[in-house]
Amino acid sequence: MMRRLRGYKTLMFGGEFLHLRCACHIINLIVRDGLKELEAGIAAIWNCAKYVRSSSQRLDKFREFVVLEQCRANANIPLDVITRWNSTYLMLEAALKYETVFERMVEEDSQFKAYFNETDKNGRSRVGLPSNEDWRNAQAFCLFLKKFYEAMVKLSAWKKITANILFVEMITLQTEIDKAMNAEDEVLKRVATSMKTKFNKYWGSFESVNKIIMIANVLDPRYKLQWAEVAMEKVDASYETINSIQGDLKKILLNMYDEYKGSEGSNQTEQSMAEDFGLEGDDLENLDEVSRKIARERMAEQSQCIRNEVDQYLSDRYVSLLAKKIEIHKWWKANEQTYPVLSKLANDIFAIPCSIVASENAFSLGSKVVDPFRASLTPKMVEALVCTSDWLKYDPPNFYKDPAKDDLEMHHTLEELESGKPLKMWIF
């Protein structure tokens, strides 16, 4: 691909930032390494969930015990999918709510106890019953995995920008793993150590990680270069590493700006910025001699510090950190007159998805739309069905809203068509 793009002369920055790994896939690999350390305990709780879900009679019996323990009458426990760790997390989280229910079933339900004495084809008995230690390990593990689950949900979003939060989530997860490695719980420490090894393989080195992850964070007007500095200090990066990374980020941003500016073929940016440097022309004549000298010195200093949009952006005021619900693309749209070139760069970088979950989901829609009973649908009709479904999910119809004038006119037209009345035609 890189060779073809280079041949088409459409490869920017020499392909240095072309390959970005799927963040959700990396999180999946990290967590699965940790799950291996708790296989026995998880298997015992998983067998409990499997027993409940194996038949409607067992589910009804489980719900009877749930009522006795004064829990929700419609209780249920989802089964996990082997290839998806988040389903394992959700299964453990649900099972922990009914720990007392399972303990009561051990005492009063003979079929439940007999289930764990059954053997498989190889003569091995099922793992379980879950011990108190298994429940405590699962509880600690769920608390630990909650941050990973929340990060994956955020990064797999497909209707909002995620590029600017990937670096934030990376630092958050690294902090959680480091904290667990220093915990008193030996099992949790062993799990975190295993996960740390996998984390370091993909995200452990700031020098080797794709810098687009950090550049997207720099282009967030709440953070700029400051967040990267504080975040790297938080994970005990050396002073030399922090200075080196910050210098690299500014250099990369300047190179990107220059390439985008070259494609624009204009020097209007510098001209528009020069007008904001200070007092000019006749304004200086209205000042006394000392004030004129101060104004000229300020203009000279500012012109040395701010030579392009990147310098201006980094020196301008931050957006408040309390603005959690800021829509960054709208902020850059509102400030595109101030940063005409940098805003185009920001739009392209924020369009980069952090994961391939959305695209994989789009490609897996085929079997849901074209099932064996609708196999004769044309490609155009399939496309229409998929697009219509997506639009309805994004903006569901409000049946309680008063119809607009156009809606009423269309309704009357349809009624006339149905009744066979001739339509009124206007000839111009």
Side-chain angles (χ1 to χ4, degrees):
M1 179 188 288
M2 191 178 294
R3 179 177 56 81
R4 288 188 177 182
L5 291 174
R6 191 176 286 116
Y8 297 147
K9 297 182 180 179
T10 57
L11 187 65
M12 302 186 75
F13 318 120
E16 183 180 356
F17 312 111
L18 182 64
H19 184 222
L20 181 65
R21 293 180 182 273
C22 172
C24 292
H25 179 63
I26 293 174
I27 293 175
N28 182 53
L29 294 174
I30 293 170
V31 176
R32 286 185 65 79
D33 271 23
L35 286 172
K36 292 176 183 177
E37 299 293 333
L38 283 176
E39 279 185 350
I42 291 174
I45 297 174
W46 182 81
N47 281 329
C48 290
K50 186 179 178 182
Y51 172 84
V52 170
R53 295 294 301 273
S54 59
S55 70
S56 58
Q57 291 82 3
R58 288 176 174 177
L59 179 60
D60 291 339
K61 188 70 174 177
F62 169 73
R63 286 175 174 170
E64 289 177 11
F65 282 100
V66 168
V67 172
L68 292 174
E69 289 295 323
Q70 298 181 352
C71 297
R72 290 194 323 170
N74 60 343
N76 203 351
I77 300 175
L79 281 176
D80 68 334
V81 181
I82 297 176
T83 56
R84 297 174 61 184
W85 73 267
N86 55 322
S87 63
T88 304
Y89 165 76
L90 293 173
M91 181 269 292
L92 290 174
E93 186 184 44
L96 282 167
K97 296 176 184 177
Y98 305 110
E99 178 185 352
T100 56
V101 176
F102 285 115
E103 289 175 352
R104 187 162 186 163
M105 289 176 70
V106 171
E107 296 173 358
E108 302 179 15
D109 190 349
S110 58
Q111 291 184 353
F112 181 64
K113 290 179 66 176
Y115 176 77
F116 289 92
N117 295 325
E118 296 175 1
T119 56
D120 58 16
K121 296 178 181 179
N122 299 321
R124 293 176 299 185
S125 59
R126 288 190 176 92
V127 178
L129 300 159
S131 63
N132 186 57
E133 185 182 359
D134 291 334
W135 289 112
R136 299 290 70 79
N137 289 338
Q139 188 176 33
F141 196 51
C142 274
L143 288 173
F144 177 52
L145 282 186
K146 187 176 182 181
K147 291 287 184 183
F148 290 83
Y149 178 75
E150 291 173 350
M152 198 185 70
V153 170
K154 291 178 185 177
L155 295 173
S156 60
W158 55 281
K159 289 187 177 178
K160 57 184 178 181
I161 295 171
T162 57
N164 64 309
I165 64 171
L166 177 52
F167 187 52
V168 177
E169 296 303 326
M170 276 176 52
I171 297 296
T172 302
L173 297 183
Q174 185 171 353
T175 305
E176 287 297 315
I177 292 174
D178 292 342
K179 192 187 299 182
M181 288 177 67
N182 297 320
E184 295 180 358
D185 190 332
E186 290 298 324
V187 176
L188 187 60
K189 188 183 295 186
R190 192 170 69 247
V191 169
T193 303
S194 178
M195 293 171 69
K196 180 70 172 179
T197 303
K198 187 68 75 174
F199 183 95
N200 288 340
K201 180 179 178 180
Y202 295 101
W203 288 338
S205 172
F206 293 115
E207 289 85 354
S208 59
V209 75
N210 192 324
K211 296 299 187 296
I212 282 289
I213 295 172
M214 300 183 188
I215 292 295
N217 183 261
V218 172
L219 290 173
D220 189 325
R222 295 170 297 176
Y223 303 136
K224 302 185 182 181
L225 283 171
Q226 192 177 32
W227 201 93
E229 178 185 358
V230 175
M232 287 188 283
E233 288 176 356
K234 187 177 180 181
V235 294
D236 299 325
S238 65
Y239 179 76
E240 293 77 13
T241 300
I242 295 173
N243 282 343
S244 174
I245 295 296
Q246 282 201 304
D248 289 344
L249 290 177
K250 187 169 183 181
K251 185 178 178 182
I252 290 168
L253 196 55
L254 285 168
N255 290 339
M256 289 180 169
Y257 166 78
D258 289 338
E259 187 153 345
Y260 269 71
K261 182 189 165 193
S263 64
E264 294 294 314
S266 169
N267 62 353
Q268 292 179 356
T269 305
E270 277 72 14
Q271 292 175 2
S272 62
M273 291 174 59
E275 296 174 359
D276 300 328
F277 279 164
L279 298 169
E280 294 183 2
D282 296 336
D283 293 333
L284 291 175
E285 300 300 326
N286 298 328
L287 300 174
D288 59 72
E289 186 177 351
V290 175
S291 298
R292 278 200 301 272
K293 185 176 181 180
I294 292 173
R296 289 194 179 97
E297 287 179 357
R298 287 179 180 176
M299 289 167 58
E301 290 175 1
Q302 197 173 7
S303 63
Q304 288 177 1
C305 295
I306 302 178
R307 298 184 297 274
N308 51 52
E309 289 179 27
V310 175
D311 291 331
Q312 184 183 4
Y313 167 72
L314 294 176
S315 62
D316 282 349
R317 293 180 61 184
Y318 290 86
V319 173
S320 173
L321 290 169
L322 299 175
K324 296 293 184 182
K325 295 184 179 180
I326 180 176
E327 296 187 56
I328 297 179
H329 64 288
K330 291 185 178 179
W331 186 91
W332 279 102
K333 181 69 176 176
N335 289 273
E336 65 180 355
Q337 295 297 325
T338 309
Y339 316 109
V341 177
L342 201 59
S343 62
K344 293 182 179 179
L345 170 62
N347 286 337
D348 287 346
I349 287 181
F350 289 144
I352 301 172
C354 289
S355 74
I356 58 173
V357 172
S359 56
E360 285 182 344
N361 184 50
F363 281 105
S364 65
L365 281 175
S367 59
K368 297 179 182 178
V369 177
V370 188
D371 57 30
F373 301 100
R374 308 169 76 184
S376 60
L377 291 174
T378 63
K380 193 171 183 179
M381 182 57 71
V382 172
E383 182 182 358
L385 288 170
V386 171
C387 290
T388 305
S389 174
D390 183 62
W391 295 334
L392 289 172
K393 288 177 183 176
Y394 183 75
D395 190 16
N398 185 356
F399 297 104
Y400 300 99
K401 184 179 178 181
D402 292 334
K405 184 178 179 181
D406 292 340
D407 297 331
L408 289 172
E409 288 180 357
M410 184 183 71
H411 179 69
H412 292 320
T413 303
L414 291 173
E415 283 186 338
E416 289 177 1
L417 281 171
E418 189 175 356
S419 63
K421 294 181 180 179
L423 293 177
K424 297 178 181 179
M425 303 293 292
W426 294 93
I427 302 175
F428 297 95

